[in-house]
């Protein structure tokens, strides 16, 4: 039996005061569902505040990213040791908003900047290795773009991202979580149909079975992310291959995030 894992990715939202207020709401919801693992992922600037607000509760705090170098002249980056220093034990890696090719011209300049921070499968793999070496559990985000889906390449793209993220890592020896986040479903209000989301989460599990052991694949938790809302959460979370949700927009509203937590199957 895999424990449902519901995480709120706050992205670039929330001051420390916002974080305190939001965690206070999430704590109440999480206390009603000790069977569910509940996480919030604040921006770096609010990690310490969120951790203090969640102390002594069953809400965990995760970071949104890390860099693989231990220290040095890497302006703007955060190392694994810095996260360990804040007692952070989970980190998102490879979110689609950080993947892509920086500088590729796109018609919408904002999109080119916001969605293309230059993350590649190789940097994702380095970050996964770095996190695990520091005792931090990675939540590895994978997912296809609309163009890849339209070309019928979803399964190939997703399985390839899983394989490359796990290069030189055995998921039988290290706890990793995957989040299937189709790029076209993120922030668009267009959720992936639950049957299809369940099917692709199954592709991720199958890929892990091929890379490692059947038992590692059976215990692997795979979240779905992309426009998860109170009105679609129960349907998604009831599916056999979907073990949780990675929630963006709706995690910024305590009532909505509460409803999603409570929607987890008992
Ligand atoms: P939305 O829930 O806003 O679509 O964002 C999903 C996401 O990117 C979570 O990491």
């Amino acid at each position: 039996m895999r424990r449902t894992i519901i995480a709120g990715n706050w992205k670039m939202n929330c001051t420390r005061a916002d974080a305190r207020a939001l965690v206070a709401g999430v704590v109440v919801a999480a206390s009603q569902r000790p069977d569910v693992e509940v996480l919030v992922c604040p921006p770096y600037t609010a990690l310490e505040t969120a951790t203090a607000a969640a102390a002594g509760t069953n809400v965990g705090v995760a970071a949104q990213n890390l860099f693989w170098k231990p220290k040095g002249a890497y302006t703007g980056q955060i190392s694994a040791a810095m996260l360990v220093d804040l007692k952070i034990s989970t980190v998102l890696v490879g979110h689609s908003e950080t993947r892509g090719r920086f500088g590729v011209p796109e018609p919408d300049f904002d999109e080119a900047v916001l969605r293309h921070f230059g993350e590649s499968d190789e940097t994702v793999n380095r970050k996964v290795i770095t996190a695990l070496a520091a005792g931090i559990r990675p939540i590895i985000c994978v997912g296809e773009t609309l163009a890849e889906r339209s070309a019928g390449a979803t399964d190939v793209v997703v399985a390839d991202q899983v394989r490359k993220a796990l290069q030189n890592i055995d998921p039988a020896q290290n706890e990793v979580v995957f989040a299937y986040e189709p790029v076209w479903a993120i922030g668009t209000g267009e959720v992936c149909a639950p049957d299809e989301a369940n099917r692709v989460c199954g592709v991720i599990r199958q890929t892990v079975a091929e890379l490692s052991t059947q038992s590692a694949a059976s215990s692997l938790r795979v979240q779905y992310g992309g426009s998860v809302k109170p009105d679609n959460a129960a349907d998604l979370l009831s599916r056999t291959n979907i073990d949780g949700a990675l929630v963006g927009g709706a995690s910024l509203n305590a009532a909505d995030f509460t409803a999603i937590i409570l929607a987890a199957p008992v």
Side-chain angles (χ1 to χ4, degrees):
M1 182 68 185
R2 298 183 293 261
R3 188 175 180 214
T4 302
I5 174 167
I6 310 269
N9 177 7
W10 296 358
K11 308 189 179 183
M12 195 177 72
N13 293 287
C14 293
T15 61
R16 288 174 300 161
D18 297 335
R20 237 174 258 121
L22 193 44
V23 169
V26 176
V27 160
V28 175
S31 71
Q32 294 171 57
R33 290 300 303 267
D35 57 320
V36 175
E37 180 178 357
V38 177
L39 291 168
V40 293
C41 314
Y44 292 127
T45 48
L47 282 175
E48 199 165 13
T49 301
T51 300
T57 75
N58 58 335
V59 174
V61 179
Q64 295 177 16
N65 204 348
L66 85 169
F67 193 56
W68 59 86
K69 294 284 188 178
K71 59 159 75 171
Y74 304 104
T75 302
Q77 302 301 314
I78 301 288
S79 71
M82 291 168 182
L83 297 181
V84 169
D85 187 39
L86 292 179
K87 303 198 167 33
I88 297 297
S89 56
T90 305
V91 66
L92 304 182
V93 175
H95 193 280
S96 70
E97 286 154 15
T98 73
R99 285 182 185 256
R101 285 162 298 161
F102 190 72
V104 174
E106 292 206 5
D108 180 334
F109 177 74
D110 267 358
E111 284 300 289
V113 173
L114 292 173
R115 294 213 182 273
H116 295 85
F117 284 110
E119 193 90 276
S120 68
D121 287 320
E122 197 207 356
T123 64
V124 170
N125 177 241
R126 284 186 188 207
K127 290 178 176 187
V128 170
I129 289 171
T130 303
L132 288 169
I136 303 173
R137 172 185 59 171
I139 296 180
I140 306 165
C141 305
V142 297
E144 81 287 359
T145 63
L146 187 56
E148 289 162 342
R149 172 161 285 271
S150 305
T154 297
D155 295 9
V156 171
V157 166
V158 169
D160 194 51
Q161 288 175 344
V162 171
R163 263 185 232 108
K164 288 178 172 158
L166 292 181
Q167 218 144 54
N168 299 316
I169 289 156
D170 184 358
Q173 307 296 327
N174 298 282
E175 189 190 355
V176 300
V177 174
F178 274 93
Y180 168 52
E181 296 211 310
V183 178
W184 49 271
I186 295 176
T188 58
E190 195 188 332
V191 68
C192 185
D195 280 344
E196 175 61 6
N198 186 53
R199 193 190 66 75
V200 183
C201 288
V203 169
I204 294 171
R205 196 178 304 289
Q206 180 55 35
T207 306
V208 168
E210 288 160 17
L211 289 172
S212 181
T213 61
Q214 190 57 55
S215 129
S218 302
S219 56
L220 177 77
R221 291 187 292 172
V222 184
Q223 300 173 295
Y224 167 79
S227 298
V228 176
K229 306 289 178 201
D231 64 354
N232 58 32
D235 198 359
L236 287 159
L237 294 170
S238 69
R239 307 295 162 135
T240 51
N241 271 315
I242 301 180
D243 307 310
L246 183 52
V247 186
S251 74
L252 297 171
N253 177 295
D256 285 353
F257 196 52
T258 295
I260 292 168
I261 293 165
L262 299 182
V266 182

